[in-house]
Amino acid sequence: QVQLVQSGAEVKKPGASVKVSCKVSGYTLTELSMHWVRQAPGKGLEWMGGFDPEDGETIYAQKFQGRVTMTEDTSTDTAYMELSSLRSEDTAVYYCATASQVRDGMDVWGQGTTVTVSS
Amino acid sequence: QSVLTQPPSASGTPGQRVTISCSGSSSNIGSNTVNWYQQLPGTAPKLLIYSNNQRPSGVPDRFSGSKSGTSASLAISGLQSEDEADYYCAAWDDSLNGRGAYVFGTGTKVTVL
């Protein structure tokens, strides 16, 4: 059974970067499609990007292209999401979630990581 | 701005049937399968329905999904107090990003009266 455990809450200043980790257990990371989804306070779910295991490419939502980097450390089965040039609108809960294929439903979710951007 | 539109709210009394709609287009719902997520207050989303109408193990059969053309629906029959949550539809959209992107609906808050 796949489980995802994310890193703890972060407080960052505008312009800084944040890197959130997501540790996978019960499965091999490379066989999964790892997605990152965020949710601003009182708002809906927003897809940031996901890994396509079929071709090994990461697809980023256009809104975040150039500012987000999603990586994986296969030696530790840990995925990372780094978001740069933070602004107050990036204050949100960030989730990692896995699916069998990039187009499939995300059936396992991490507990979420709160990122607060404030001067 | 989401490309999948849901009503902001829905409500019902215990035991009633509630239906949530999700309107999309030919590039998302019209050509890909629809998933539904339930998010209880203060918790991570949970996959409720996948591939239009399939329930993951453990999801009660009073939750059902359907799809027709560029729209989809989630039905909750025999509404219970623990069903009070936010519900999101989602699908892959082939027209975004060059090679596609995953999109969520605007979300519907279900209230049990």
Side-chain angles (χ1 to χ4, degrees), chain A residues 37-53:
Chain A
V37 176
R38 78 176 187 180
Q39 186 171 38
K43 302 296 185 181
L45 302 174
E46 182 174 32
W47 182 77
M48 300 180 70
F51 176 77
D52 187 346

Side-chain angles (χ1 to χ4, degrees), chain B residues 5-95:
Chain B
T5 303
Q6 301 177 233
S9 64
S11 63
T13 57
Q16 276 191 330
R17 176 183 171 91
V18 169
T19 301
I20 302 169
S21 61
C22 175
S23 177
S25 67
S26 58
S27 63
N28 42 65
I29 294 178
S31 50
N32 293 288
T33 59
V34 177
N35 308 303
W36 289 89
Y37 298 88
Q38 177 193 58
Q39 187 176 31
L40 298 170
T43 69
K46 168 190 170 183
L47 183 64
L48 197 65
I49 297 287
Y50 68 96
S51 296
N52 303 328
N53 55 17
Q54 302 298 303
R55 285 185 306 276
S57 175
V59 173
D61 60 5
R62 52 200 184 76
F63 292 95
S64 61
S66 63
K67 176 182 125 172
S68 179
T70 59
S71 294
S73 293
L74 173 71
I76 310 172
S77 59
L79 191 66
Q80 298 183 7
S81 58
E82 56 261 40
D83 299 333
E84 191 159 285
D86 293 323
Y87 293 83
Y88 297 89
C89 60
W92 190 261
D93 192 304
D94 294 318
S95 71

